[in-house]
Amino acid sequence: MASGKQVLIHFLKKYSLQKTKKEDLANTSEDIRIGFLLHGSTAKEMWRIVDTIEWGEEIENESDEVISQGLKIKDKNISLPELFDYITWESEHKIPKRVAKRFPELTQYEYYAATRIMGLVLSSIEWSGWLSEVENGGKLDFVELDKYLKSYKEKLSSYREDPENYI
């Protein structure tokens, strides 16, 4: 049997790389809730926690077009990536006291960088209309991937050698 993490990642990958039909959103939400239960915990509190989220749509107000689908607060127009961004937006200015107490060696910039990466992880598990053309339904061209990897490893090396003039 797969681990809970494998199940959750399977569903997040499946739904973030292609648009889910409106009539399938309820089932999709259930799949993802089960993935979180299997990965996180099936303790009593977790059932209530997973039942407060859903896989839902963000709609463009003027056109009623679906611009993204992803994790959000159930029955509310609050996406988890957007909520996280608002929670951490000022993070470059001040590390919360509780965080600073637990990680006294953490610098302001490291905290800012870590929260930006966490935000990218959250946004990476959304389906986005504006990325759907390049995501090709989740199919990956491994020849192109190898080219990207080689190119960006060289760019990272150049950055590390001269952070001011790496491009």
Side-chain angles (χ1 to χ4, degrees):
M1 179 60 201
S3 72
K5 176 183 169 182
Q6 287 173 293
V7 172
L8 178 61
I9 288 172
H10 165 76
F11 287 130
L12 292 173
K13 179 181 176 186
K14 176 181 178 179
Y15 298 123
S16 68
L17 291 173
Q18 57 189 358
K19 186 177 179 184
T20 301
K21 295 176 187 170
K22 190 169 196 67
E23 60 268 18
D24 294 334
L25 289 174
N27 268 345
T28 300
S29 293
E30 289 295 278
D31 288 347
I32 289 173
R33 288 180 189 118
I34 291 165
F36 276 115
L37 284 169
L38 293 173
H39 174 56
S41 167
T42 54
K44 187 175 183 178
E45 178 183 306
M46 194 63 175
W47 294 81
R48 183 174 179 204
I49 288 171
V50 301
D51 208 33
T52 64
I53 58 107
E54 67 182 358
W55 188 264
E57 299 178 328
E58 183 180 348
I59 308 290
E60 175 64 45
N61 290 334
E62 291 94 36
S63 67
D64 287 336
E65 178 184 351
V66 176
I67 56 175
S68 69
Q69 293 177 329
L71 294 171
K72 59 187 283 278
I73 303 296
K74 187 167 129 184
D75 300 325
K76 294 194 164 79
N77 195 27
I78 303 171
S79 78
L80 297 191
E82 186 176 12
L83 176 62
F84 185 79
D85 278 347
Y86 277 94
I87 290 169
T88 63
W89 193 255
E90 297 297 323
S91 64
E92 69 187 81
H93 301 293
K94 185 176 179 185
I95 299 175
K97 289 178 188 174
R98 184 171 173 222
V99 174
K101 184 177 179 182
R102 170 63 178 91
F103 304 102
E105 71 280 12
L106 187 68
T107 68
Q108 294 282 335
Y109 189 79
E110 290 165 337
Y111 177 75
Y112 170 73
T115 59
R116 296 288 56 87
I117 294 297
M118 290 177 218
L120 287 172
V121 169
L122 270 174
S123 68
S124 75
I125 57 173
E126 288 184 314
W127 172 85
S128 171
W130 63 277
L131 288 175
S132 62
E133 285 184 36
V134 295
E135 288 180 341
N136 196 25
K139 295 177 186 139
L140 190 57
D141 181 331
F142 289 100
V143 172
E144 288 298 313
L145 175 60
D146 285 341
K147 289 179 186 176
Y148 267 141
L149 289 173
K150 183 180 180 199
S151 170
Y152 276 84
K153 283 178 182 180
E154 290 171 4
K155 290 176 184 182
L156 269 171
S157 180
S158 294
Y159 165 77
R160 289 178 181 128
E161 288 174 17
D162 187 0
E164 299 300 320
N165 301 300
Y166 61 96
I167 295 183

